[in-house]
C-alpha cells in the first residue's frame, strides 16, 4: 500500500511530578508512556514558519527526553513506523517497537530519535493496534501520544482501534497532536482520542505539555553545565566567548569563564553552542544534551580544521530526487556524517544524512521536494557527543521537472483506463484518481511511475467529477492534475423467481464486466459485501450458480471486488424451496474411541458434501475427521481418542458456516490399555514388550525419561507391527517410563504407562 498522507514524526513531553520540597514524587502505581514516532516520507517538508518538520520534531522530542526525572515508576517506550520500507504492501506493516516500556533509558531514546530517517508509509491504525500489545496488564497509568501532519495512508480504520485495547483489558489515554493538518485530515481523527492541531515548533512544545500534564510534569530545576576549550589539543583558558542556545528557541545563555572553565546553569534540554575565538572565528557545536543526573561537562576543540571538500551532482538536482556527493580530505571517525540541509538553517538542523568513516568516497542523499536553497554539510562528531560542521558544498536549488498527464476525459465507473505521464519519475512518484477538489495527498487507486508508462488505474464505481493526479510519497503536493468524469454503468440480472434449495440456476447479467465483477446468491437483507456461491462475470454470460441448501427468501446480487465492502450494484429476489433430497446416515450406535467406523450415507452428493464426527452439541460448521461423499459409499471415519457423546453429521461446504443437513448420535467408549514388560533392562539393549489396546492406526509404544512431557518419545514400535514387540533401550541409565501412545491427537496422548529402570 502506498503512503501519500504523511503523519510525521511524533513526540511527547514526559516527566514525573516533582515534590516541591522533597524532590521527585514517586508515582503510586507507575506510569507507562508509549511514544509513536512517525517516520513517513514527507517529514522532509517544511512548517509554515519555514522550519523543516523533521528537525523541529527531533529537537522538541529530544529536549523533552533529557528532562525526564529518574523515577523507578516511569516506563517510556518508543514505537516507530514508516522508517524501513519506502513503498508497497510491506510499507503498511512497517511498525516496530524499538524500545519497550521498561524503565527509562534516555540515551537509547535519544539515539533512536536522532537516527530516524523519514522513508515510508503512515499506517496509524495498524501501529495503534500493535501498540495494544506493547502495554503490560498492570494498574499503571497508560498514555500514548501521537503527533501527525497528515492522516492514515494505508486504509486502516481509526474508528475501531480503541476496541483492540478494550479486548485486552487495557485502559489507555490516547492523545493526538496534528501538525498543520488540512480540514479533511483533522476530521479523520474525530472521535479518536483527544486531538489538538499546531502550526509551529513552539506550539508543538506547548501541546505536548498539555497532552502529558495529567500524568507527568516538566522538570524545572536548573542544572550546572561546564565547558573546557582546547586548540590543537592544548587547553585554551582565555580569549573566547561562549553561549548556549536551546534547540527549541528562546534567549541564548552566556557561559562565564572561571579559571579556564566556562560555566552556567541551564534547564534540561538539547542545545547548540557558539564559540568565538581570535584564531578560528565563530564556530557552532551541536547535539549537546543537558540531562538530569548527568555530569553535563563538555570539551570543545576549537582549533582550525582543514575544510572537507564536498562536490554534488547533478546540478541542479531534481526536486524530490537523488543527489550524489563526492567527499575528500575528511577526518576519520566512527560517527561523522554528511547531510543535506537548508542553507538558511542553523548548523544543528539537517535533513537526509549518511554516516561516513573514510577520508574520501561517494554517497547518495535524498533531495527535498522544495525549490529553495540547500547545501551539503560534513559533521565532525566529538567523543562528548557534540558536533561541528567542517565542510560545506556550494549552495544549490533543486528544480522541478515539467509534468503532465494524458488520459481519457471520461470513463465508466468500475472500469480501467491507461494513463500516460511525463515527469521526474522519482523513486516514489505515483499517479492516482481522486474526487474533484480532494485534499492534497488524497489517493484511491494508484500506480508508481517507475512501474509503468502508461500505467493502469481502476476507476471508482461512484459516478461524478474526479481528478487524475501526479503526486509523490515524499510530499503531499500535487505535481500535475487533469479532470476526468466517471459515468454510471447499467446493471441488471435475470434469474428464476423460485428454485429448489441446493439446486443449480442460470443467471443472465448486464454490466460493465469490470475486473472483479461477480454474481452471488445471499439471504434476503444480508449485509452489503456478503457472498456465498458465486461466479465471475468474466467467466461467461449467462453463468451458473449453486443455491444454498436451506430454503427461504434470498437475493441474487451483481457485485464487485473493486470496493470494500463489495457493493451491491443490482439484485433480484429469489425464493428457494425446501430440498427434495433425503438425507440419512447409517453407522454403529457405539464404537471404541480411536477406532475406525464405516458410515453409509444418503444425500445429493453435491460438490463439497462430506460426513464428519464432532462432539455432541458442537456449533454448526464444526468438523474433525471427515470424508467427502464423492469418495465413495460407505465411507470410513477415524473416531477421536476421548470417550463421550458425539454426533455423525452430513454437511456441505456450499455455505458458511457449513450447515448440518443430517446427524445421528454416536457414543465412544474407552478401550482397555495395558503393557507387560520387565521392570528394568541393560542400557542400549532391546526389551520385549507385550501390549493390550485397540491397535488403532498410529498407536505406538515408546520409552521416555520419567515425567517427560506428554507427547515425548525416543525409540518406539508401532502396535501394528506385532505383539509382542522389541524396543531398543536408551544408552543413558536412569528412571524411565514405557508408554502406550497414539499419533491420532497432538500432542500424542499417554494412554498407559509403566515405570522402567535402565541400568
Amino acid at each position: 500500500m502506498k503512503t501519500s498522507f504523511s503523519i510525521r514524526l511524533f513526540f511527547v513531553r514526559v516527566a514525573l511530578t516533582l515534590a516541591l520540597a522533597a524532590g521527585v514524587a514517586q508515582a503510586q502505581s507507575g506510569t507507562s508512556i508509549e511514544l509513536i514516532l512517525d517516520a513517513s516520507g514527507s517529514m522532509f517538508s517544511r512548517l509554515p514558519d519555514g522550519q523543516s518538520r523533521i528537525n523541529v520534531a527531533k529537537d522538541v522530542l529530544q529536549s523533552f527526553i533529557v528532562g525526564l526525572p529518574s523515577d523507578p515508576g516511569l516506563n517510556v517506550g518508543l514505537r516507530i513506523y514508516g522508517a524501513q520500507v519506502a513503498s508497497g504492501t510491506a510499507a503498511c506493516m512497517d511498525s516496530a517497537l524499538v524500545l519497550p516500556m521498561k524503565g527509562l533509558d534516555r540515551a537509547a531514546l535519544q539515539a533512536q530519535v536522532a537516527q530516524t530517517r523519514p522513508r515510508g508509509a503512515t499506517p496509524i491504525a495498524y501501529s495503534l493496534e500493535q501498540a495494544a500489545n506493547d502495554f503490560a496488564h498492570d494498574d499503571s497509568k497508560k498514555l500514548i501520544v501521537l503527533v501527525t501532519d497528515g492522516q492514515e495512508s494505508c486504509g486502516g480504520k481509526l474508528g475501531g482501534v480503541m476496541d483492540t485495547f478494550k479486548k485486552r483489558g487495557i485502559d489507555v489515554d490516547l492523545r493526538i497532536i496534528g501538525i498543520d493538518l488540512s480540514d479533511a485530515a483533522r476530521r479523520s481523527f474525530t472521535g479518536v482520542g483527544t486531538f489538538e492541531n499546531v502550526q509551529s515548533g513552539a506550539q508543538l512544545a506547548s501541546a505536548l505539555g498539555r497532552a502529558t500534564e495529567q500524568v507527568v510534569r516538566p522538570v524545572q530545576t536548573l542544572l550546572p553545565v561546564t565547558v573546557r576549550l582546547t586548540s590543537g589539543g592544548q587547553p585554551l583558558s582565555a580569549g573566547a566567548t561562549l553561549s548556549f542556545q536551546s534547540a527549541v528557541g528562546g534567549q541564548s545563555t552566556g557561559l562565564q569563564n572561571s579559571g579556564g572553565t566556562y560555566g552556567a546553569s541551564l534547564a534540561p534540554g538539547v542545545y547548540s553552542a557558539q564559540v568565538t575565538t581570535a584564531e578560528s572565528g565563530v564556530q557552532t557545536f551541536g547535539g549537546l544534551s543537558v540531562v538530569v543526573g548527568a555530569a553535563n561537562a563538555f570539551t570543545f576543540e576549537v582549533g582550525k580544521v582543514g575544510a572537507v571538500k564536498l562536490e554534488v551532482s547533478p546540478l541542479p538536482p531534481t526536486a524530490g530526487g537523488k543527489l550524489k556527493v563526492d567527499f575528500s580530505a575528511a577526518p576519520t571517525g566512527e560517527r561523522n556524517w554528511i547531510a543535506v540541509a537548508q542553507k538558511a538553517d542553523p548548523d544543528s538542523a539537517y535533513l537526509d544524512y549518511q554516516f561516513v568513516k573514510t577520508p574520501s568516497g561517494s554517497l547518495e542523499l535524498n533531495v527535498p521536494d522544495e525549490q529553495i536553497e540547500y547545501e551539503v554539510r560534513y559533521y565532525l562528531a566529538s567523543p562528548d557527543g557534540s558536533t561541528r560542521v567542517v565542510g560545506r558544498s556550494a549552495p544549490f536549488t533543486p528544480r522541478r521537472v515539467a509534468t503532465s498527464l494524458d488520459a481519457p476525459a471520461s470513463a465508466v465507473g468500475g472500469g480501467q483506463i491507461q494513463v500516460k505521464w511525463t515527469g521526474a519519475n522519482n523513486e516514489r512518484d505515483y499517479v492516482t484518481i481522486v474526487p474533484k477538489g480532494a485534499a492534497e495527498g488524497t489517493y484511491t487507486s494508484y500506480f508508481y511511475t517507475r512501474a509503468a508508462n502508461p500505467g493502469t488505474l481502476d476507476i471508482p464505481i461512484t459516478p461524478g467529477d474526479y481528478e487524475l493526479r501526479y503526486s509523490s510519497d515524499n510530499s503531499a503536493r500535487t505535481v500535475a492534475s487533469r479532470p476526468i468524469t466517471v459515468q454510471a454503468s447499467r446493471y441488471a440480472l435475470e434469474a428464476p423467481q423460485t428454485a429448489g434449495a441446493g439446486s443449480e440456476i442460470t443467471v443472465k447479467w448486464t454490466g460493465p464486466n469490470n475486473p472483479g465483477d461477480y454474481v452471488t446468491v445471499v439471504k434476503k437483507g444480508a449485509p452489503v459485501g456478503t457472498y456465498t456461491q458465486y461466479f465471475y462475470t468474466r467467466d461467461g454470460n449467462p453463468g451458473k450458480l449453486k443455491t444454498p441448501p436451506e430454503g427461504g427468501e434470498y437475493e441474487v446480487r451483481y457485485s464487485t471486488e473493486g470496493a470494500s465492502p463489495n457493493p451491491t450494484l443490482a439484485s433480484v429476489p429469489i425464493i428457494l424451496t425446501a430440498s427434495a433430497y433425503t438425507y440419512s446416515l447409517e453407522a454403529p450406535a457405539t464404537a471404541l474411541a480411536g477406532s475406525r467406523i464405516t458410515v453409509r450415507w444418503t444425500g445429493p452428493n453435491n460438490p463439497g458434501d462430506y460426513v464428519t464426527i464432532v462432539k455432541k452439541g458442537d456449533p454448526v460448521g464444526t468438523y474433525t475427521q471427515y470424508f467427502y461423499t464423492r469418495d465413495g459409499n460407505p465411507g470410513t471415519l477415524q473416531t477421536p481418542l476421548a470417550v463421550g457423546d458425539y454426533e455423525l453429521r452430513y454437511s456441505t461446504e456450499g455455505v458458511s458456516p457449513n450447515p448440518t443437513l443430517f446427524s445421528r448420535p454416536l457414543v465412544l467408549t474407552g478401550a482397555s490399555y495395558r503393557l507387560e514388560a520387565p521392570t528394568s533392562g541393560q542400557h542400549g539393549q532391546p526389551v520385549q514388550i507385550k501390549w493390550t489396546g485397540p491397535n488403532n492406526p498410529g498407536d505406538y509404544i515408546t520409552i521416555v525419561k520419567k515425567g517427560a512431557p506428554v507427547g515425548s518419545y525416543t525409540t518406539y514400535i508401532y502396535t501394528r507391527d506385532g505383539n509382542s514387540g522389541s524396543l531398543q533401550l536408551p544408552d543413558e541409565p536412569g528412571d524411565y517410563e514405557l508408554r502406550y501412545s497414539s499419533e491420532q491427537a497432538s500432542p500424542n496422548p499417554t494412554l498407559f504407562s509403566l515405570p522402567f529402570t535402565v541400568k
Side-chain angles (χ1 to χ4, degrees):
M1 190 62 189
K2 68 164 296 304
T3 75
S4 63
F5 286 109
S6 25
I7 307 176
R8 299 314 142 222
L9 275 153
F10 105 153
F11 20 85
V12 59
R13 183 179 189 174
V14 287
L16 283 183
T17 306
L18 291 176
L20 292 177
V24 180
Q26 300 295 319
Q28 292 181 356
S29 57
T31 300
S32 298
I33 300 173
E34 177 152 302
L35 319 179
I36 301 180
L37 184 63
D38 178 353
S40 51
S42 58
M43 255 321 273
F44 288 129
S45 301
R46 291 180 294 159
L47 289 169
D49 61 9
Q51 298 184 79
S52 298
R53 291 170 177 170
I54 186 172
N55 289 323
V56 170
K58 288 183 176 182
D59 288 343
V60 173
L61 182 53
Q62 290 187 86
S63 293
F64 291 159
I65 290 169
V66 298
L68 295 174
S70 300
D71 189 319
L74 178 60
N75 302 287
V76 182
L78 177 62
R79 173 173 285 275
I80 298 177
Y81 65 80
Q84 301 299 321
V85 183
S87 59
T89 303
C92 286
M93 293 184 290
D94 177 13
S95 180
L97 181 67
V98 296
L99 285 174
M101 287 173 280
K102 294 182 179 179
L104 170 63
D105 189 337
R106 296 187 193 89
L109 285 167
Q110 277 195 277
Q112 289 288 352
V113 171
Q115 70 188 25
T116 299
R117 299 169 66 185
R119 181 171 175 80
T122 55
I124 303 175
Y126 176 77
S127 295
L128 289 173
E129 289 167 356
Q130 297 302 303
N133 298 315
D134 298 341
F135 286 89
H137 279 282
D138 56 28
D139 61 351
S140 65
K141 296 178 181 178
K142 297 175 177 65
L143 174 69
I144 292 176
V145 179
L146 169 66
V147 179
T148 170
D149 72 346
Q151 64 191 66
E152 167 71 36
S153 73
C154 290
K157 304 301 182 184
L158 288 175
V161 295
M162 299 312 293
D163 292 339
T164 308
F165 290 88
K166 292 177 182 177
K167 289 176 182 177
R168 292 200 66 236
I170 300 294
D171 184 13
V172 66
D173 184 8
L174 173 60
R175 302 299 179 113
I176 301 169
I177 302 174
I179 302 179
D180 196 30
L181 295 191
S182 66
D183 289 342
R186 295 182 200 184
R187 287 193 297 270
S188 72
F189 294 103
T190 301
V192 183
T194 302
F195 177 83
E196 182 174 354
N197 194 57
V198 300
Q199 292 185 307
S200 69
Q203 290 179 9
L204 171 61
S206 298
L208 288 174
R210 288 188 291 273
T212 59
E213 63 185 358
Q214 297 302 315
V215 293
V216 295
R217 298 285 183 185
V219 173
Q220 303 296 335
T221 304
L222 297 180
L223 305 174
V225 176
T226 59
V227 178
R228 293 182 181 274
L229 303 179
T230 61
S231 178
Q234 299 300 312
L236 182 66
S237 58
T241 59
L242 175 60
S243 63
F244 269 44
Q245 173 68 56
S246 171
V248 295
Q251 296 293 320
S252 62
T253 300
L255 276 68
Q256 301 302 312
N257 187 358
S258 176
T261 299
Y262 294 79
S265 294
L266 300 172
V270 176
Y271 292 83
S272 61
Q274 190 172 88
V275 182
T276 305
T277 63
E279 177 187 8
S280 303
V282 179
Q283 296 185 73
T284 299
F285 294 80
L288 308 173
S289 296
V290 177
V291 185
V292 174
N296 297 315
F298 305 94
T299 299
F300 300 156
E301 169 59 49
V302 297
K304 286 187 176 180
V305 177
V308 177
K309 186 177 181 181
L310 298 168
E311 295 184 349
V312 299
S313 61
L315 286 176
T318 300
K322 299 285 187 180
L323 180 73
K324 182 185 178 186
V325 181
D326 295 306
F327 65 96
S328 58
T332 57
E334 292 295 314
R335 300 295 292 177
N336 301 335
W337 73 88
I338 294 174
V340 62
Q342 291 183 42
K343 180 72 167 59
D345 273 354
D347 285 355
S348 59
Y350 56 91
L351 300 170
D352 196 24
Y353 70 94
Q354 284 196 38
F355 288 110
V356 292
K357 298 180 181 180
T358 59
S360 62
S362 299
L363 53 83
E364 261 192 352
L365 295 175
N366 292 304
V367 179
D369 185 23
E370 298 277 2
Q371 294 188 121
I372 59 175
E373 198 171 38
Y374 292 90
E375 65 181 7
V376 172
R377 300 170 179 172
Y378 189 101
Y379 287 82
L380 176 63
S382 301
D384 61 4
S386 63
T387 62
R388 59 172 167 161
V389 175
V390 295
R392 302 175 194 271
S393 74
F396 57 87
T397 301
R399 65 176 177 85
R400 287 177 175 156
V401 176
T403 307
S404 65
L405 296 170
D406 184 14
S410 63
V412 174
Q416 292 182 326
I417 61 169
Q418 295 287 301
V419 182
K420 292 182 179 179
W421 54 268
T422 59
N425 194 25
N426 289 325
E427 183 178 8
R428 301 175 70 221
D429 288 2
Y430 65 93
V431 176
T432 188
I433 181 170
V434 298
K436 180 181 179 181
E440 294 282 294
T442 304
Y443 71 93
T444 59
S445 170
Y446 68 92
F447 66 85
Y448 283 105
T449 57
R450 291 202 170 187
N453 192 9
T456 302
L457 280 183
D458 294 325
I459 302 301
I461 295 170
T462 306
D465 293 329
Y466 289 78
E467 298 176 47
L468 300 174
R469 290 181 179 176
Y470 187 117
S471 297
S472 174
D473 288 336
N474 293 321
S475 74
R477 184 175 65 90
T478 298
V479 182
S481 70
R482 64 170 292 152
I484 183 171
T485 301
V486 175
Q487 301 170 340
S489 295
R490 179 175 176 269
Y491 299 90
L493 293 169
E494 295 180 37
Q497 295 181 343
T498 62
S503 65
E504 188 175 75
I505 61 172
T506 299
V507 182
K508 291 183 178 180
W509 53 267
T510 300
N513 191 23
N514 290 322
D517 285 8
Y518 64 92
V519 176
T520 188
V521 57
V522 298
K523 279 279 191 182
K524 179 182 178 181
V528 172
T530 304
Y531 66 92
T532 60
Q533 293 291 316
Y534 64 92
F535 67 84
Y536 285 108
T537 57
R538 65 180 179 237
D539 293 334
N541 193 1
K544 301 290 186 180
L545 267 186
K546 178 70 177 298
T547 63
E550 298 177 348
E553 294 184 274
Y554 288 80
E555 298 175 49
V556 177
R557 291 180 178 176
Y558 188 120
S559 189
T560 183
E561 297 169 339
S564 181
N566 298 173
T568 300
L569 303 170
S571 71
V572 293
I574 185 171
I575 296 176
L576 300 183
T577 57
S579 173
Y581 293 113
T582 299
Y583 296 90
S584 68
L585 296 170
E586 296 179 33
T590 62
L592 286 176
S595 65
R596 289 181 182 270
I597 61 171
T598 299
V599 183
R600 186 173 295 278
W601 54 267
T602 302
N605 191 24
N606 288 321
D609 285 7
Y610 63 92
V611 176
T612 187
I613 181 171
V614 299
K615 276 280 190 182
K616 180 181 178 181
D618 269 352
V620 171
T622 305
Y623 66 92
T624 60
Q625 295 290 322
Y626 66 92
F627 65 84
Y628 285 108
T629 58
R630 66 180 179 237
D631 293 333
N633 195 0
T636 301
L637 279 180
Q638 184 81 35
T639 63
L641 288 170
V643 300
D645 293 330
Y646 287 80
E647 296 177 50
L648 298 172
R649 291 180 179 175
Y650 188 119
S651 189
T652 183
E653 297 171 337
V655 179
S656 182
N658 298 171
T660 301
L661 303 171
F662 187 85
S663 71
R664 65 167 293 149
L666 174 68
V667 177
L668 296 185
T669 59
S672 175
Y673 297 91
R674 183 178 176 83
L675 295 174
E676 297 179 38
T679 58
S680 63
Q682 193 67 25
H683 69 276
Q685 298 299 311
V687 63
Q688 289 297 121
I689 302 173
K690 290 185 178 181
W691 53 265
T692 301
N695 191 23
N696 289 322
D699 285 7
Y700 64 93
I701 296 162
T702 187
I703 183 168
V704 298
K705 281 281 191 180
K706 180 181 178 181
V710 172
S712 302
Y713 66 92
T714 58
T715 57
Y716 62 90
I717 53 174
Y718 284 109
T719 59
R720 67 183 179 228
D721 292 334
N723 195 359
S724 62
S726 179
L727 183 68
Q728 190 75 17
L729 296 178
D731 291 330
E732 181 183 348
D735 293 331
Y736 287 80
E737 298 177 47
L738 298 172
R739 292 181 179 176
Y740 188 120
S741 190
S742 176
E743 296 171 337
Q744 291 183 29
S746 181
N748 298 172
T750 301
L751 303 170
F752 187 85
S753 70
L754 192 69
F756 191 89
T757 301
V758 176
K759 297 180 179 180

